[in-house]
Amino acid sequence: MRSDTQLKLIDRINTHRRGERGATDTAASTLSVPTTDYTDPARLAEERRLLHATPSLVGLSGLLPGPETYATVNVGDRSVLLTRDANHQVHAMLNVCSHRAAEVADSCGAAARLTCPYHGWTYHLDGTLAARRRAQFFDDVPNVGLTRLPVVEQHGLLWVSATPDFSLDADSLLGGAEDELAPLDLGSYRLFDTRQYSRRFNWKLAVDTFCEAYHLGTLHRETLSPMIHSDFALFDRFGLHGRMVAARRSITELDDLPPDDQQLLPHTTVLWFIQPNTVLIHQQDHIQLFRSNPGATPDENNLAASLYVPPDAPQPDRYWRKHFDLLIEVTDSEDFTTAAGVQRGYHSGAHSHVVFGRNEPALQHYHLGLAELLSNHRDTPAASTVSQL
Ligand code: FES
Ligand SMILES: [Fe+2]
């Protein structure tokens, strides 16, 4: 991030810090969305169609750490196979064998070719078919490879659409956030680990929990609140995406520094939510990436949490392991346990609507943006399900 941008953000943080109690970036009004946005199978079907079509930020370039590597990711409920070929070119395909639809690859690794585990058909890294075992028994079947998908690698980020004929416009993916993300040199980061898991709550609640700092002082009273302020945060829009800046308590150390020496990190946590289902968090010395996809019903999700570390970071792997385990532990035992209760609450009939306060502008922008994306993807445009209170 440019230093003048950082100074402006630090100035805004200081205004909140030194201002009246309760000062924070705000929205113009509260916002309510129907609880059925989280519980209705018809809404989930719409969201799934959106997730399959719209560009998804699926990882940093380090997901494919070198030539002849591959990785699988979930996009909606589709498994997508990403590869980097010997010439460093990235490809994306549906992870669906052209014989009888088995998943060709699992997880990630290095390989010059990929072999389907079911009957052993093999594929080049661009998805073309390399060989069919006992090919003579398929002599009247066209020699087709994997179904290719649109993919973009840009600013160290990997984007894919799980719809083959989708037109991915590389210039409009980040809504202007590229000016801040490109200088971070995210393409040089190494993937330390990814954990995939499912929990019993709607996929959007996993994004919601990152989009406000309001809960830090209560839900994370013992864990995060001693380090991070919960009563104020900054919010800025980047198209339908958004960026929050939460101040760590060490922000006071900047008070004694001349402006030229003032930097956001490590005294803030900078969080981007990228529509429709990705959260990228720049912590003190690493990047966390959360992706949330729907499960089989509105009450289940498929989560993927990743930790990427800078190149040549001096810390040993046990340092990153501790960070990663802590990240999973805190989100799971505090945020996601609470979210499972929220999901039950939405089903209880206690409320017809979910309310987002004026002090939760990022959360509001996330839901308004998602409603806009859904509206754009409907065959016949319908009124937004979101209403201002
Ligand atoms: S399903 Fe892949 S080789 Fe048969
Ligand atoms: Fe949280």
Side-chain angles (χ1 to χ4, degrees):
M1 194 184 293
R2 292 160 48 116
S3 56
D4 57 337
T5 307
Q6 294 197 41
L7 284 177
K8 280 181 190 155
L9 293 171
I10 291 167
D11 193 49
R12 283 168 57 191
I13 289 170
N14 286 337
T15 301
H16 290 324
R17 260 179 69 207
R18 294 166 183 151
E20 64 188 60
R21 188 171 154 72
T24 182
D25 281 8
T26 53
S29 58
T30 59
L31 176 77
S32 72
V33 302
T35 50
T36 50
D37 282 5
Y38 294 84
T39 59
D40 179 9
R43 160 83 182 210
L44 184 71
E46 271 189 35
E47 291 172 342
R48 201 175 264 126
R49 281 195 292 276
L50 172 73
L51 287 161
H52 291 160
T54 206
S56 284
L57 170 55
V58 293
L60 272 55
S61 292
L63 184 60
L64 300 167
E68 301 191 328
T69 54
Y70 67 91
T72 58
V73 294
N74 290 323
V75 177
D77 56 8
R78 293 182 182 162
S79 176
V80 170
L81 171 60
L82 294 160
T83 64
R84 189 183 300 281
D85 68 21
N87 298 317
H88 291 262
Q89 181 68 40
V90 172
H91 306 273
M93 288 78 64
L94 289 174
N95 188 18
V96 180
C97 182
S98 44
H99 177 219
R100 268 213 309 283
E103 293 187 351
V104 174
D106 181 31
S107 188
C108 58
R113 288 184 182 187
L114 294 166
T115 301
C116 176
Y118 200 174
H119 309 93
W121 288 23
T122 57
Y123 298 88
H124 298 291
L125 294 182
D126 65 358
T128 54
L129 194 59
R132 299 189 278 205
R133 276 198 324 113
R134 310 283 190 271
Q136 68 271 28
F137 299 115
F138 296 89
D139 47 6
D140 61 350
V141 175
N143 199 352
V144 295
L146 304 175
T147 301
R148 288 177 59 84
L149 299 171
V151 63
V152 167
E153 183 175 35
Q154 191 184 54
H155 308 310
L157 301 171
L158 292 166
W159 299 80
V160 70
S161 166
T163 298
D165 53 3
F166 185 83
S167 170
L168 240 172
D169 176 9
D171 293 332
S172 65
L173 292 171
L174 279 167
E178 56 271 27
D179 292 343
E180 296 188 7
L181 289 167
L184 298 179
D185 193 21
L186 297 177
S188 66
Y189 277 58
R190 164 174 75 95
L191 175 62
F192 176 72
D193 201 0
T194 294
R195 185 153 321 164
Q196 304 205 48
Y197 49 118
S198 296
R199 293 292 178 264
R200 297 280 303 164
F201 55 87
N202 185 270
W203 68 276
K204 296 186 294 298
L205 280 170
V207 180
D208 289 358
T209 199
F210 291 107
C211 286
E212 44 92 357
Y214 182 36
H215 72 285
L216 294 184
T218 42
L219 186 59
H220 302 307
R221 187 171 52 246
E222 309 283 334
T223 48
L224 301 180
S225 182
M227 294 176 288
I228 305 176
H229 285 283
S230 72
D231 36 3
F232 61 86
L234 306 184
F235 171 64
D236 291 284
R237 297 167 169 76
F238 294 87
L240 300 182
H241 313 309
R243 189 241 298 120
M244 280 176 57
V245 179
R248 302 179 80 90
R249 297 195 185 272
S250 66
I251 195 88
T252 52
E253 293 174 23
L254 296 182
D255 295 346
D256 302 325
L257 295 178
D260 283 355
D261 293 342
Q262 294 189 10
Q263 294 195 331
L264 281 175
L265 292 176
H267 305 296
T268 59
T269 293
V270 184
L271 179 152
W272 282 268
F273 65 85
I274 306 295
Q275 296 280 1
N277 62 341
T278 301
V279 177
L280 188 155
I281 306 169
H282 198 181
Q283 287 286 12
Q284 293 164 300
D285 53 9
H286 62 276
I287 299 281
Q288 301 164 352
L289 196 79
F290 273 87
R291 300 190 62 245
S292 181
N293 280 293
T297 74
D299 305 328
E300 302 163 58
N301 56 50
N302 288 308
L303 307 173
S306 302
L307 191 138
Y308 290 85
V309 303
D312 309 322
Q315 296 89 342
D317 275 3
R318 67 174 181 281
Y319 171 88
W320 301 118
R321 175 60 56 202
K322 201 174 120 198
H323 266 291
F324 189 62
D325 289 348
L326 192 65
L327 168 71
I328 299 292
E329 163 65 18
V330 170
T331 49
D332 218 15
S333 64
E334 297 181 354
D335 297 284
F336 296 163
T337 300
T338 302
V342 168
Q343 186 71 18
R344 289 192 292 275
Y346 289 164
H347 276 289
S348 71
H351 303 297
S352 63
H353 284 74
V354 182
V355 177
F356 304 126
R358 289 203 306 113
N359 60 341
E360 300 176 298
L363 203 40
Q364 294 197 16
H365 189 61
Y366 171 61
H367 282 273
L368 289 167
L370 186 61
E372 186 172 330
L373 285 173
L374 285 166
S375 179
N376 293 343
H377 277 75
R378 283 185 194 117
D379 291 335
T380 48
S384 166
T385 58
V386 180
S387 60
Q388 304 281 152
L389 277 179

